[in-house]
Amino acid sequence: YLTTEDYGINSVITSFISTASFIVAFSLFSAVMRFYVDLKEEPEKLKRFYGTISLFVFFSGTAFAVVLTIFRQFTSKYLFSGIDYYPFILVALISLIFNCEYTIFDNILRSQQRALKSSICSIIYFFVSVALNIFFVVGLKMGALGTLLASLIAYVLYTAYFVIEMSVTHTIKFCMDLKLLKDALKYSIPIMPHNLSTQIALFVSKLLISDVGSLADLGVYSVATQFGNIADTIQCYVDSAYGPWLYERLHNKENKYKKTIRQNVKLLIAVIGLFFVGISLFAQDYIVLFLQKSYVGAWMYVPMIVSVFAIKTTYYFYVEILFYYKEASRKLFIATLTGSVLNILLSAIFIPIWSVYGSILADAIAMLVRVIIVVVISRKYEDVGLRIRDFVINFVIIELFIFMGLILSIMKYQTTFSIFNFGYKIAVVLLYVIMIFTMNRESAMVLLANLKEKRKNK
């Protein structure tokens, strides 16, 4: 229902919100995750911490929106690729405020390892967002503005639930505890370059693609990046569970904890790889069957974008070591800032030559550099049992199965759907499942036994 230009507008604004959220929140999302470990034995202090962070971020977001409104001509020209301030950018700025509150609540649930609650909230948010999109985009035919309004309303509703639920359960106290805020900012501000630089590089790439080509070209590329975002979201959620679990292992350092960490990580990256292979193979079928013909070329970008996120898998598992050691977290900017500056420079060189492919190549090189730096820094603090060869072998296997699964698509079915090709892809995925289960049989059986024991105890 959206034209490629509509989708280009939506992509620029979504990327802006993702980038600006770290500026508005001063990366306090990370502090919510880390400080729970220190404050969980002091409930009253934890309530004040949650309330302080929530209020500070709300006021910070409001001030940020006001400033960009005052300088709206500059904002529209340089930050939004010529998109009109009214109504698009105005809706985006309001959405930014409530997006930050949504992220705070989500990180509270993750830090407490309340996976079921987090999943239920995410599913409800998803259906509300989809319903609003159908109403505004399909029903009222409001195009890009409809998607932005749907996101804004969904964020507002989620924030309202966040405030009501935590107030009723007495798990938050809205106040401004300057001591807690100062401690949180001392932890989070050094992380800002780490969080922000990645988003800035992505944002700049999109602006360059729209300038070299058009918003329509950006729209096609953005469809492909949505599949990449699904892949990254999967490993983000794995990481959000892995992080607190790792902190407990490092805090207690029980017998053979390094072996336990390595076995679990090998199994996790193999399962993540299953999703990477599936997304890379079946994105074509989705795009060909359900999107306008103007988007059909987007599927060719998906495997390459997913491969960049496959490189990033190593980063996720090593970076949590730095997050655990507070002094180490202050060095994260070395990796992310270096990677992002390199990404921007390479994008400026490659995109005018190869357009979208140039952007993906810049992402891949910059990501590899970032991973190398994080691994080197993390090993100076502690060896938790992880091995680079495990990640390299996993990456190679993923790439081989992606290539094998897309042979027919590349050679014969680039723009059409084939039931035979679809069945072939299913067979490739099943073969991958058999292989990873065989390679990780011991870890998988231990995990299943633990889950069975927990269910029995309950």
Side-chain angles (χ1 to χ4, degrees):
Y1 288 90
L2 295 179
T3 65
T4 50
E5 184 174 349
D6 281 335
Y7 210 77
I9 292 172
N10 187 71
S11 178
V12 169
I13 290 178
T14 301
S15 186
F16 166 79
I17 291 174
S18 297
T19 304
S21 64
F22 292 108
I23 298 174
V24 166
F26 292 87
S27 286
L28 285 167
F29 310 135
S30 299
V32 169
M33 293 282 287
R34 180 61 185 84
F35 275 68
Y36 173 74
V37 177
D38 297 335
L39 301 176
K40 64 181 180 180
E41 304 300 331
E42 302 177 76
E44 192 60 34
K45 203 171 183 179
L46 186 61
K47 293 178 189 178
R48 294 178 64 83
F49 175 74
Y50 288 154
T52 297
I53 298 300
S54 301
L55 282 179
F56 176 79
V57 171
F58 182 82
F59 292 136
S60 173
T62 302
F64 185 82
V66 169
V67 170
L68 290 192
T69 298
I70 293 172
F71 298 100
R72 53 185 173 272
Q73 290 184 339
F74 171 89
T75 301
S76 176
K77 183 176 180 180
Y78 293 104
L79 296 182
F80 290 92
S81 192
I83 298 171
D84 294 335
Y85 181 84
Y86 297 105
F88 298 106
I89 300 175
L90 178 61
V91 173
L93 293 176
I94 300 172
S95 295
L96 172 63
I97 300 170
F98 291 98
N99 169 271
C100 291
E101 298 298 320
Y102 164 88
T103 307
I104 289 172
F105 183 49
D106 190 48
N107 277 280
I108 288 174
L109 294 177
R110 293 187 193 186
S111 66
Q112 296 173 357
Q113 299 187 55
R114 297 167 65 187
L116 180 60
K117 176 83 171 181
S118 178
S119 298
I120 292 172
C121 289
S122 295
I123 291 169
I124 293 173
Y125 170 82
F126 166 75
F127 280 110
V128 170
S129 180
V130 168
L132 290 169
N133 268 285
I134 291 172
F135 176 72
F136 287 120
V137 178
V138 181
L140 300 183
K141 303 191 185 314
M142 295 178 68
L145 179 60
T147 63
L148 298 177
L149 286 174
S151 296
L152 170 59
I153 295 171
Y155 286 141
V156 170
L157 291 175
Y158 198 100
T159 301
Y161 170 75
F162 156 53
V163 172
I164 294 170
E165 197 268 348
M166 295 198 72
S167 298
V168 170
T169 56
H170 304 290
T171 52
I172 193 169
K173 185 174 182 179
F174 291 102
C175 61
M176 192 58 68
D177 191 317
L178 297 182
K179 174 66 169 58
L180 288 173
L181 178 62
K182 180 181 177 182
D183 291 341
L185 289 172
K186 282 174 65 177
Y187 173 81
S188 67
I189 288 178
I191 299 175
M192 281 183 71
H194 156 71
N195 290 328
L196 192 57
S197 55
T198 304
Q199 297 296 332
I200 288 177
L202 179 62
F203 186 47
V204 169
S205 293
K206 290 186 176 182
L207 292 178
L208 286 171
I209 291 171
S210 64
D211 286 340
V212 171
S214 64
L215 283 170
D217 294 333
L218 177 60
V220 174
Y221 170 60
S222 297
V223 166
T225 61
Q226 287 288 24
F227 290 93
N229 290 340
I230 294 171
D232 196 37
T233 298
I234 290 167
Q235 59 183 0
C236 275
Y237 272 100
V238 171
D239 178 63
S240 68
Y242 166 77
W245 177 85
L246 177 68
Y247 301 160
E248 294 288 343
R249 304 287 87 71
L250 294 178
H251 181 73
N252 298 326
K253 292 192 175 179
E254 298 170 347
N255 186 34
K256 297 183 179 180
Y257 74 97
K258 291 185 178 182
K259 181 180 178 182
T260 301
I261 291 171
R262 185 185 180 190
Q263 285 181 335
N264 279 278
V265 168
K266 285 178 69 177
L267 182 59
L268 286 174
I269 62 176
V271 173
I272 290 172
L274 171 61
F275 287 98
F276 286 178
V277 172
I279 291 168
S280 298
L281 301 193
F282 297 108
Q284 178 199 14
D285 304 292
Y286 181 91
I287 291 171
V288 170
L289 287 174
F290 297 109
L291 303 188
Q292 297 176 20
K293 290 183 178 180
S294 55
Y295 289 101
V296 73
W299 79 265
M300 296 289 289
Y301 304 135
V302 175
M304 291 177 281
I305 294 171
V306 170
S307 296
V308 174
F309 287 117
I311 297 172
K312 191 179 180 181
T313 301
T314 308
Y315 166 86
Y316 275 116
F317 287 95
Y318 274 93
V319 80
E320 289 298 341
I321 302 171
L322 302 186
F323 278 123
Y324 178 76
Y325 293 98
K326 293 179 181 178
E327 66 275 15
S329 66
R330 299 184 183 123
K331 297 182 180 180
L332 273 174
F333 78 93
I334 298 173
T336 46
L337 193 59
T338 301
S340 296
V341 170
L342 180 62
N343 195 332
I344 292 171
L345 292 174
L346 292 176
S347 294
I349 297 170
F350 294 158
I351 290 176
I353 302 173
W354 296 304
S355 189
V356 171
Y357 293 107
S359 176
I360 297 171
L361 178 60
D363 291 343
I365 295 172
M367 186 62 69
L368 183 60
V369 169
R370 186 192 307 177
V371 167
I372 293 171
I373 295 174
V374 165
V375 170
V376 171
I377 295 175
S378 67
R379 285 186 166 179
K380 291 183 178 180
Y381 285 87
E382 184 165 354
D383 176 9
V384 300
L386 301 180
R387 295 293 178 265
I388 289 294
R389 66 174 175 270
D390 294 336
F391 293 94
V392 173
I393 291 171
N394 187 67
F395 177 81
V396 171
I397 291 173
I398 291 170
E399 294 304 304
L400 286 174
F401 274 86
I402 289 175
F403 177 75
M404 183 167 60
L406 290 175
I407 287 177
L408 292 178
S409 297
I410 296 170
M411 295 180 65
K412 192 173 181 180
Y413 303 108
Q414 286 195 16
T415 60
T416 58
F417 173 78
S418 164
I419 192 67
F420 174 76
N421 189 28
F422 186 78
Y424 170 73
K425 292 176 184 178
I426 293 175
V428 170
V429 171
L430 291 176
L431 182 60
Y432 177 86
V433 172
I434 293 170
M435 175 178 284
I436 64 171
F437 181 79
T438 303
M439 293 175 64
N440 299 275
R441 182 182 177 83
E442 182 182 349
S443 300
M445 297 308 292
V446 170
L447 177 62
L448 291 173
N450 289 338
L451 291 173
K452 186 177 180 180
E453 184 66 25
K454 286 183 178 180
R455 179 176 293 182
K456 183 180 178 180
N457 292 336
K458 287 183 179 180

PDB file of all heavy atoms in Angstrom, residues 37-48:
ATOM      1  N   VAL A  37      21.299  -5.042  38.445  1.00  0.00           N
ATOM      2  CA  VAL A  37      22.126  -6.030  39.153  1.00  0.00           C
ATOM      3  C   VAL A  37      22.587  -5.470  40.495  1.00  0.00           C
ATOM      4  O   VAL A  37      22.630  -6.178  41.503  1.00  0.00           O
ATOM      5  CB  VAL A  37      23.345  -6.434  38.292  1.00  0.00           C
ATOM      6  CG1 VAL A  37      24.249  -7.404  39.050  1.00  0.00           C
ATOM      7  CG2 VAL A  37      22.890  -7.048  36.975  1.00  0.00           C
ATOM      8  N   ASP A  38      22.909  -4.172  40.540  1.00  0.00           N
ATOM      9  CA  ASP A  38      23.401  -3.555  41.769  1.00  0.00           C
ATOM     10  C   ASP A  38      22.289  -3.164  42.741  1.00  0.00           C
ATOM     11  O   ASP A  38      22.505  -3.152  43.955  1.00  0.00           O
ATOM     12  CB  ASP A  38      24.225  -2.297  41.428  1.00  0.00           C
ATOM     13  CG  ASP A  38      25.468  -2.618  40.615  1.00  0.00           C
ATOM     14  OD1 ASP A  38      25.959  -3.757  40.716  1.00  0.00           O
ATOM     15  OD2 ASP A  38      25.943  -1.737  39.870  1.00  0.00           O
ATOM     16  N   LEU A  39      21.110  -2.839  42.214  1.00  0.00           N
ATOM     17  CA  LEU A  39      20.042  -2.274  43.053  1.00  0.00           C
ATOM     18  C   LEU A  39      18.906  -3.240  43.376  1.00  0.00           C
ATOM     19  O   LEU A  39      17.990  -2.884  44.110  1.00  0.00           O
ATOM     20  CB  LEU A  39      19.452  -1.027  42.375  1.00  0.00           C
ATOM     21  CG  LEU A  39      20.417   0.125  42.085  1.00  0.00           C
ATOM     22  CD1 LEU A  39      19.699   1.243  41.333  1.00  0.00           C
ATOM     23  CD2 LEU A  39      21.021   0.665  43.378  1.00  0.00           C
ATOM     24  N   LYS A  40      18.942  -4.460  42.832  1.00  0.00           N
ATOM     25  CA  LYS A  40      17.795  -5.356  43.012  1.00  0.00           C
ATOM     26  C   LYS A  40      17.576  -5.759  44.464  1.00  0.00           C
ATOM     27  O   LYS A  40      16.474  -6.164  44.837  1.00  0.00           O
ATOM     28  CB  LYS A  40      17.957  -6.605  42.136  1.00  0.00           C
ATOM     29  CG  LYS A  40      19.143  -7.486  42.481  1.00  0.00           C
ATOM     30  CD  LYS A  40      19.202  -8.686  41.516  1.00  0.00           C
ATOM     31  CE  LYS A  40      20.392  -9.586  41.835  1.00  0.00           C
ATOM     32  NZ  LYS A  40      20.442 -10.749  40.909  1.00  0.00           N
ATOM     33  N   GLU A  41      18.618  -5.654  45.313  1.00  0.00           N
ATOM     34  CA  GLU A  41      18.466  -5.960  46.736  1.00  0.00           C
ATOM     35  C   GLU A  41      17.989  -4.756  47.529  1.00  0.00           C
ATOM     36  O   GLU A  41      17.794  -4.842  48.743  1.00  0.00           O
ATOM     37  CB  GLU A  41      19.800  -6.466  47.301  1.00  0.00           C
ATOM     38  CG  GLU A  41      20.381  -7.675  46.589  1.00  0.00           C
ATOM     39  CD  GLU A  41      19.460  -8.882  46.623  1.00  0.00           C
ATOM     40  OE1 GLU A  41      18.677  -8.996  47.597  1.00  0.00           O
ATOM     41  OE2 GLU A  41      19.500  -9.701  45.684  1.00  0.00           O
ATOM     42  N   GLU A  42      17.819  -3.613  46.862  1.00  0.00           N
ATOM     43  CA  GLU A  42      17.333  -2.388  47.522  1.00  0.00           C
ATOM     44  C   GLU A  42      16.098  -1.883  46.767  1.00  0.00           C
ATOM     45  O   GLU A  42      16.193  -0.946  45.971  1.00  0.00           O
ATOM     46  CB  GLU A  42      18.423  -1.323  47.523  1.00  0.00           C
ATOM     47  CG  GLU A  42      19.716  -1.748  48.206  1.00  0.00           C
ATOM     48  CD  GLU A  42      20.794  -0.679  48.125  1.00  0.00           C
ATOM     49  OE1 GLU A  42      20.695   0.312  48.878  1.00  0.00           O
ATOM     50  OE2 GLU A  42      21.709  -0.826  47.291  1.00  0.00           O
ATOM     51  N   PRO A  43      14.939  -2.457  47.021  1.00  0.00           N
ATOM     52  CA  PRO A  43      13.713  -2.159  46.251  1.00  0.00           C
ATOM     53  C   PRO A  43      13.345  -0.675  46.218  1.00  0.00           C
ATOM     54  O   PRO A  43      12.956  -0.159  45.163  1.00  0.00           O
ATOM     55  CB  PRO A  43      12.636  -2.968  46.982  1.00  0.00           C
ATOM     56  CG  PRO A  43      13.388  -4.060  47.671  1.00  0.00           C
ATOM     57  CD  PRO A  43      14.703  -3.483  48.051  1.00  0.00           C
ATOM     58  N   GLU A  44      13.480   0.006  47.341  1.00  0.00           N
ATOM     59  CA  GLU A  44      13.098   1.418  47.382  1.00  0.00           C
ATOM     60  C   GLU A  44      14.002   2.260  46.495  1.00  0.00           C
ATOM     61  O   GLU A  44      13.554   3.156  45.771  1.00  0.00           O
ATOM     62  CB  GLU A  44      13.159   1.922  48.823  1.00  0.00           C
ATOM     63  CG  GLU A  44      12.502   3.281  49.037  1.00  0.00           C
ATOM     64  CD  GLU A  44      11.026   3.305  48.670  1.00  0.00           C
ATOM     65  OE1 GLU A  44      10.343   2.270  48.870  1.00  0.00           O
ATOM     66  OE2 GLU A  44      10.549   4.352  48.173  1.00  0.00           O
ATOM     67  N   LYS A  45      15.272   1.948  46.542  1.00  0.00           N
ATOM     68  CA  LYS A  45      16.242   2.666  45.711  1.00  0.00           C
ATOM     69  C   LYS A  45      16.006   2.373  44.239  1.00  0.00           C
ATOM     70  O   LYS A  45      16.147   3.251  43.372  1.00  0.00           O
ATOM     71  CB  LYS A  45      17.653   2.259  46.125  1.00  0.00           C
ATOM     72  CG  LYS A  45      18.736   3.268  45.788  1.00  0.00           C
ATOM     73  CD  LYS A  45      20.042   2.877  46.429  1.00  0.00           C
ATOM     74  CE  LYS A  45      21.109   3.925  46.155  1.00  0.00           C
ATOM     75  NZ  LYS A  45      22.403   3.556  46.804  1.00  0.00           N
ATOM     76  N   LEU A  46      15.637   1.138  43.936  1.00  0.00           N
ATOM     77  CA  LEU A  46      15.368   0.743  42.555  1.00  0.00           C
ATOM     78  C   LEU A  46      14.152   1.473  42.000  1.00  0.00           C
ATOM     79  O   LEU A  46      14.144   1.912  40.852  1.00  0.00           O
ATOM     80  CB  LEU A  46      15.149  -0.774  42.479  1.00  0.00           C
ATOM     81  CG  LEU A  46      14.995  -1.380  41.077  1.00  0.00           C
ATOM     82  CD1 LEU A  46      16.244  -1.144  40.240  1.00  0.00           C
ATOM     83  CD2 LEU A  46      14.690  -2.879  41.161  1.00  0.00           C
ATOM     84  N   LYS A  47      13.117   1.645  42.841  1.00  0.00           N
ATOM     85  CA  LYS A  47      11.926   2.396  42.426  1.00  0.00           C
ATOM     86  C   LYS A  47      12.292   3.827  42.054  1.00  0.00           C
ATOM     87  O   LYS A  47      11.844   4.366  41.044  1.00  0.00           O
ATOM     88  CB  LYS A  47      10.891   2.416  43.553  1.00  0.00           C
ATOM     89  CG  LYS A  47      10.267   1.088  43.909  1.00  0.00           C
ATOM     90  CD  LYS A  47       9.309   1.269  45.078  1.00  0.00           C
ATOM     91  CE  LYS A  47       8.833  -0.066  45.616  1.00  0.00           C
ATOM     92  NZ  LYS A  47       7.942   0.110  46.784  1.00  0.00           N
ATOM     93  N   ARG A  48      13.101   4.452  42.913  1.00  0.00           N
ATOM     94  CA  ARG A  48      13.516   5.836  42.663  1.00  0.00           C
ATOM     95  C   ARG A  48      14.387   5.916  41.403  1.00  0.00           C
ATOM     96  O   ARG A  48      14.302   6.885  40.639  1.00  0.00           O
ATOM     97  CB  ARG A  48      14.283   6.385  43.869  1.00  0.00           C
ATOM     98  CG  ARG A  48      13.432   6.521  45.131  1.00  0.00           C
ATOM     99  CD  ARG A  48      14.269   7.023  46.307  1.00  0.00           C
ATOM    100  NE  ARG A  48      14.786   8.364  46.060  1.00  0.00           N
ATOM    101  CZ  ARG A  48      14.114   9.471  46.256  1.00  0.00           C
ATOM    102  NH1 ARG A  48      12.857   9.414  46.701  1.00  0.00           N
ATOM    103  NH2 ARG A  48      14.658  10.644  46.015  1.00  0.00           N
TER     104      ARG A  48
END
